[in-house]
Amino acid sequence: MSTEEKPAAAPRSLAEALRARDDAGLAGLLRSRPDLVTPVPADLTQLATRAGTRASVVRALERLDRFTTQTAQALAVAADPAPYDELLGLLAGDEGDPAVSAALPGAVRTLREQALLWGDDDRLRLVRTARELLSPSPQHPSPTGLGPTVREATAGMSPGRIQEIVTTVGLPSTHDSVSAVTALTGLFTDRARMAALLAEVPPESVEVLERLVWGPPYGQVTADPATRLRRLLDRGLLLPTAPGTVVLPREVALHLRGGRAHRTTEPVPPPVEAAATHRPQVVDATAAGQAYTALATVEELLKDWNEGGPAVLRSGGLSVRDLKRTAVALDVPETVAAFWVELAYAAGLVASDGEADERYAATPAYDTWLERPAAERWATLAAAWLAATRTPGLVGGRDAKDHTLAALGPGLDRSAAPEVRRRVLALLAELPEGAAPDSGSVSERLRWERPPRPAGGAAGSGSVAGGAGEGDDLRSRLARWTLAEAEMLGVTGRGALSAHGRAVLGLPGPKAPAGRAVPGPGTALGTGTSTGTGPGTGPGSASQSGSASEPGATGPGDRLPVHHHRSPVPHPSSPASPPFSSALTALTPAEQAAASSSAARLLAPLLPEPLDHVLLQADLTAVAPGPLQRPLADMLGVLADVESKGGATVYRFTPGSVRRALDSGRAAADLHAFLAAHSRTPVPQPLTYLIDDVARRHGHLRVGAASAYVRCDDDAVLNEILADKRAAGLGLRRLAPTVLAAQADPAGLLEGLRRMGFAPAAESAEGDVLITRADARRTPPRTAPEPVPEGPPVPDDTLLAAAIRAVRAGDLAATAPRRTTAGETDGPGAGSGALPRTGAAETLATLQAAVLTGEALWIGHVNAEGVAGRRVIAPVRVEGGFVTAYDHTADEVRTYPLHRITGVAELADEES
């Protein structure tokens, strides 16, 4: 007998193709199509079945780039199975295309890795569901614009009519329709003979064919067609499909197209063009300025909502009126205000308070956030923005029920948002350092990487058409919003990715590899996911085995002591993968924390240092020439009103602002000391007089609850109040020389007296002055909103390793042959999946013998729920009515009661 290893047989099904993969190949499949791993398949046959279901195939096709999608579409109109050369001809045409030839091996490899394609290069097969989705039909035309084949179009045609066409084109008549259709197909696929046939047709008839050649291939004719149409019908160049409808056969269309399945094949992704280039230092400084503005804006927003923000709509979210008020308070457009509100919500800094009169307010996490350094606070906002699925750009739009989408309301989650944000920023990272992209080229690149669904496309068919629907799709809008939001947040500066923006994504710094210079300004990038090929790539290399020792060829399962099969598909990292592909997937919490820490370290030196002083001026204003330290900013925010913001902030002192400081428990002496300690200029005399004057009158009047009362030691002041017409609405009456009672509540009475120019102070029931703080309201502890995932989550390495081990073990149990007993040699299911049936004595004896020999056995087993199944076990011990064995199906040691075992059978010898 020869000792040479026999070549591996070609797979006969997708299950066999998966069975030939190594663990790295299965891990790559489950990682790219995570829906296949939930729940974990019992064996590889079940995995192959699940991979061919319509929902899973549609999801996988939607995630392909444009050229890989075009490859799948070409396979759907090719023969089944199709050789690699035929596929190459459909994509490159008769004249060939070097770019297509270089990119096609990568596209085929991607389809194989995702279990959408199986078979060797001489027998490529799309999975059946994918072929059904992409093949042309009258109800769902193919994205290629091709129609049915001659065989399909003539399926319902009479044999006599077929023979007439064969005779007209000069072919010998045949004895049956099958051979006639075969001869006609051979004529239409022969370039020389087809050219001669078309030369016999007048130009006006050829013009009809050219109108149908790129699709749609169907046309309408009358009962008595014109001569130019009759010539085409007589020669089979147009074939009737229904009364009044004709179709251009696929073979004819391909000849007229020069063999191309698509009018435009796009093997290379469109480049991302650099619209402008700036010095990296300018980019980082500009982004740092934007980051500082972002922090100031979020703080101002939450300070405005400190004492209780706007009410929550009954349907959830902010009302249009409250959003406008917030926009006015922040001095930004409403769309920008919606972004800041949503960003604070995503970071867990604002939430609804959950009260009966539900309102938005800052959360306790906001106070913790305020105490952190500025750079760390920015990193928290940036990380929350990257991971958020809520999309502020949708605010003000309409949902499917024609309801307005409100900020902080339902309906704003878009699962694709985090992926698009990371991909857009990764594309920016691929540009030369300091280069700002052209937004149109970014959108074009995203549309190539994930072709949009055509408007109104049928689910499952139109959704995978690709190339159509180049309008304002969601991903293009997300890309535009990402560029604008990144600039506002300070991730980018002047449109270019900053150093701290790159760090928060977890990307390495911009360093040129050895032997290659960094591209200069204006250089276009054109790297893609399936365009690159290295030495050895070609038609045959796509099906060659990959060694588990090669870089990138190992997976979590390869570290397990199970099954290292030779894979027909290599699974190393493609050389054409984007250099920053790590940014496409969300980071783990630990990775994001490390990235945020790195970004904070890079940003911190670029932010201005907080100041401990202001400049007081004689016009009752104070100028803060930069950001202030937290205690100084908080106190100054109570003592004065912000008049203008910018590089320097101007505060104005007013009687109302001074009274606000006195209401918070400060005395006049405290205010004088505070200003003297923090002013680089002498305290102006008008400001000293203002504080003393307000303090002298502050608390002279006392307001309490009667419903409400006013008391004052100076009855002349009370007489003045009663005489004032503005007090008529308060319902005041004198109870004593120094006490007035009011019909208004204490809060209304306080506000009314302040409008009249007095400075009353509220007091408690015991007569003590009530101190009011500016930072009063907080929600109960709230967690930040969880992002809404797009489909099942990508499994981690631990889950992948366990899933692959379980699938391998289940497949071993499902495919292991067993010996047949004499009584079942001729029975149905002999040696197949039927449960073994043996008597109790024979079962016990066989198990005891297997313990001595160490052999594995088939057993039939009924579990506690009464469900029967088959297991492959290696018995270790038989005692006490139980058998302890290593269960190959579950890949663990288990114990089975003997009374639940229906029978045993020995495994067949592998040599047989």
Side-chain angles (χ1 to χ4, degrees):
M1 171 181 275
S2 173
T3 59
E4 294 182 2
E5 183 180 355
K6 298 180 180 178
R12 295 171 297 177
S13 65
L14 177 60
E16 288 191 6
L18 295 179
R19 198 166 286 123
R21 292 190 181 192
D22 60 9
D23 292 339
L26 290 180
L29 169 62
L30 298 180
R31 189 177 288 108
S32 62
R33 297 177 64 179
D35 57 298
L36 301 181
V37 79
T38 307
V40 176
D43 51 44
L44 288 170
T45 301
Q46 189 177 101
L47 176 62
T49 302
R50 191 178 297 174
T53 58
R54 184 182 182 90
S56 181
V57 170
V58 168
R59 188 179 293 113
L61 289 174
E62 288 176 348
R63 300 187 70 85
L64 299 177
D65 63 52
R66 181 162 294 169
F67 182 66
T68 307
T69 301
Q70 289 181 329
T71 302
Q73 293 165 355
L75 277 169
V77 297
D80 188 25
Y84 182 91
D85 290 341
E86 180 181 348
L87 174 61
L88 179 60
L90 287 171
L91 290 168
D94 296 341
E95 298 180 357
D97 187 335
V100 171
S101 300
L104 186 56
V108 171
R109 181 170 58 249
T110 299
L111 293 173
R112 272 203 181 102
E113 289 173 349
Q114 299 200 22
L116 297 171
L117 173 69
W118 58 277
D120 293 335
D121 282 337
D122 57 343
R123 295 180 63 84
L124 297 175
R125 290 181 181 271
L126 273 181
V127 295
R128 183 179 60 182
T129 307
R131 192 173 187 88
E132 291 173 354
L133 289 170
L134 298 174
S135 294
S137 68
Q139 294 77 22
H140 302 295
S142 169
T144 62
L146 293 170
T149 62
V150 173
R151 186 176 302 278
E152 294 167 347
T154 57
M157 190 177 294
S158 66
R161 177 59 183 147
I162 295 176
Q163 294 294 336
E164 291 177 5
I165 295 175
V166 168
T167 304
T168 304
V169 296
L171 296 174
S173 60
T174 62
H175 60 282
D176 64 312
S177 299
V178 175
S179 57
V181 171
T182 302
L184 194 60
T185 302
L187 169 63
F188 289 166
T189 54
D190 187 314
R191 292 288 187 263
R193 290 195 293 162
M194 187 63 181
L197 178 62
L198 290 174
E200 301 174 1
V201 179
E204 58 269 18
S205 297
V206 175
E207 190 269 338
V208 173
L209 297 179
E210 290 175 348
R211 284 160 50 191
L212 300 175
V213 66
W214 292 109
Y218 294 91
Q220 301 295 320
V221 296
T222 62
D224 184 18
T227 303
R228 58 177 181 172
L229 295 175
R230 173 57 62 190
R231 291 192 181 98
L232 299 176
L233 291 168
D234 290 344
R235 290 165 174 76
L237 299 175
L238 289 179
L239 294 173
T241 59
T245 303
V246 294
V247 67
L248 179 67
R250 187 181 306 169
E251 294 84 353
V252 178
L254 286 174
H255 175 85
L256 295 171
R257 295 179 178 193
R260 288 182 177 270
H262 299 85
R263 174 176 291 192
T264 303
T265 307
E266 300 181 62
V268 179
V272 177
E273 303 286 351
T277 303
H278 311 281
R279 289 190 302 113
Q281 295 83 353
V282 174
V283 170
D284 292 345
T286 304
Q290 289 296 116
Y292 171 73
T293 302
L295 294 176
T297 304
V298 172
E299 291 179 30
E300 185 178 357
L301 168 68
L302 273 298
K303 185 182 295 183
D304 188 50
W305 290 5
N306 250 345
E307 300 178 7
V312 180
L313 291 174
R314 185 167 54 184
S315 58
L318 283 179
S319 67
V320 175
R321 180 182 302 172
D322 287 329
L323 182 60
K324 289 181 178 180
R325 288 174 178 168
T326 302
V328 171
L330 299 179
D331 193 21
V332 295
E334 292 177 34
T335 54
V336 177
F339 167 70
W340 294 119
V341 169
E342 285 287 344
L343 179 62
Y345 177 63
L349 306 180
V350 66
S352 62
D353 57 15
E355 301 292 338
D357 180 20
E358 197 171 12
R359 290 182 173 275
Y360 288 106
T363 64
Y366 171 65
D367 298 315
T368 305
W369 179 77
L370 276 179
E371 298 301 321
R372 298 169 64 187
E376 294 182 14
R377 285 186 281 133
W378 177 86
T380 300
L381 295 179
W385 172 69
L386 283 174
T389 55
R390 294 186 63 82
T391 312
L394 296 172
V395 172
R398 297 279 179 174
D399 61 10
K401 297 181 179 179
D402 201 33
H403 296 160
T404 302
L405 295 171
L408 300 181
L412 294 183
D413 284 290
R414 295 296 182 270
S415 301
E419 179 201 348
V420 173
R421 289 192 193 108
R422 288 187 171 275
R423 183 55 185 149
V424 168
L425 296 178
L427 290 175
L428 267 62
E430 295 179 31
L431 287 169
E433 191 177 7
D438 174 69
S439 59
S441 65
V442 172
S443 297
E444 285 297 323
R445 178 63 168 268
L446 291 180
R447 280 197 288 265
W448 185 92
E449 293 179 351
R450 187 77 63 81
R453 305 182 185 186
S461 59
S463 60
V464 296
E470 296 292 334
D472 196 24
D473 60 285
L474 176 62
R475 290 177 66 85
S476 296
R477 286 183 289 157
L478 287 173
R480 292 199 305 272
W481 294 333
T482 296
L483 293 173
E485 292 167 3
E487 189 73 15
M488 289 189 292
L489 188 55
V491 176
T492 60
R494 299 196 177 187
L497 187 63
S498 63
H500 52 272
R502 185 186 300 265
V504 81
L505 285 167
L507 298 178
K511 294 181 180 179
R516 182 178 66 85
V518 176
T523 303
L525 298 176
T527 56
T529 58
S530 62
T531 59
T533 56
T537 57
S541 63
S543 62
Q544 298 301 314
S545 171
S547 170
S549 63
E550 295 175 357
T554 60
D558 285 325
R559 294 190 290 270
L560 303 175
V562 293
H563 304 281
H564 292 275
H565 295 285
R566 186 179 69 85
S567 172
V569 184
H571 294 277
S573 299
S574 170
S577 298
F580 301 105
S581 58
S582 60
L584 298 182
T585 57
L587 303 179
T588 64
E591 292 171 341
Q592 186 59 68
S596 298
S597 177
S598 176
R601 286 196 301 270
L602 292 172
L603 177 62
L606 302 175
L607 294 176
E609 286 292 334
L611 303 176
D612 62 351
H613 65 274
V614 295
L615 305 176
L616 296 179
Q617 302 186 105
D619 60 349
L620 297 180
T621 60
V623 178
L628 300 177
Q629 293 180 351
R630 177 63 50 197
L632 174 58
D634 290 343
M635 183 58 197
L636 200 58
V638 176
L639 182 57
D641 297 323
V642 176
E643 187 170 79
S644 65
K645 296 177 294 183
T649 304
V650 177
Y651 295 86
R652 177 164 293 280
F653 299 94
T654 64
S657 68
V658 174
R659 178 196 52 75
R660 187 170 62 230
L662 296 172
D663 284 343
S664 67
R666 301 292 197 281
D670 298 332
L671 300 182
H672 288 309
F674 169 79
L675 293 175
H678 293 93
S679 176
R680 287 290 178 87
T681 58
V683 179
Q685 193 177 52
L687 180 56
T688 302
Y689 289 165
L690 174 65
I691 294 174
D692 291 340
D693 183 56
V694 174
R696 184 172 53 253
R697 294 184 293 116
H698 183 264
H700 195 49
L701 293 177
R702 299 295 182 90
V703 175
S707 164
Y709 65 84
V710 182
R711 69 180 181 88
C712 181
D713 295 336
D714 187 352
D715 58 351
V717 174
L718 297 184
N719 291 333
E720 181 183 350
I721 294 173
L722 288 173
D724 197 320
K725 294 181 180 180
R726 292 175 294 177
L730 301 178
L732 297 173
R733 62 187 178 86
R734 188 184 294 272
L735 297 181
T738 58
V739 180
L740 298 179
Q743 296 178 1
D745 60 270
L749 183 55
L750 279 169
E751 186 62 30
L753 291 175
R754 286 168 180 166
R755 285 197 302 267
M756 295 167 61
F758 297 96
E763 70 177 16
S764 66
E766 292 78 17
D768 300 324
V769 175
L770 290 176
I771 297 175
T772 57
R773 301 291 184 185
D775 51 348
R777 189 158 185 169
R778 288 292 182 269
T779 70
R782 294 281 193 266
T783 58
E786 290 291 331
V788 178
E790 185 179 16
V794 177
D796 56 23
D797 289 348
T798 303
L799 176 58
L800 281 177
I804 292 171
R805 176 176 290 168
V807 171
R808 291 288 193 198
D811 197 61
L812 173 64
T815 58
R818 66 182 179 89
R819 292 178 180 174
T820 58
T821 62
E824 62 179 3
T825 302
D826 300 325
S832 64
L835 288 177
R837 298 281 181 180
T838 55
E842 182 181 354
T843 298
L844 181 60
T846 306
L847 291 172
Q848 290 173 337
V851 171
L852 298 176
T853 61
E855 294 181 351
L857 299 173
W858 268 106
I859 68 168
H861 176 258
V862 180
N863 63 18
E865 287 76 26
V867 179
R870 301 169 297 149
R871 324 289 293 185
V872 176
I873 66 171
V876 177
R877 183 173 60 253
V878 180
E879 61 181 13
F882 292 88
V883 56
T884 301
Y886 176 78
D887 190 330
H888 288 275
T889 307
D891 198 23
E892 64 183 8
V893 176
R894 289 187 174 182
T895 300
Y896 295 100
L898 290 176
H899 69 273
R900 290 191 178 277
I901 297 178
T902 64
V904 297
E906 297 179 355
L907 295 181
D909 294 334
E910 293 183 1
E911 293 79 11
S912 61

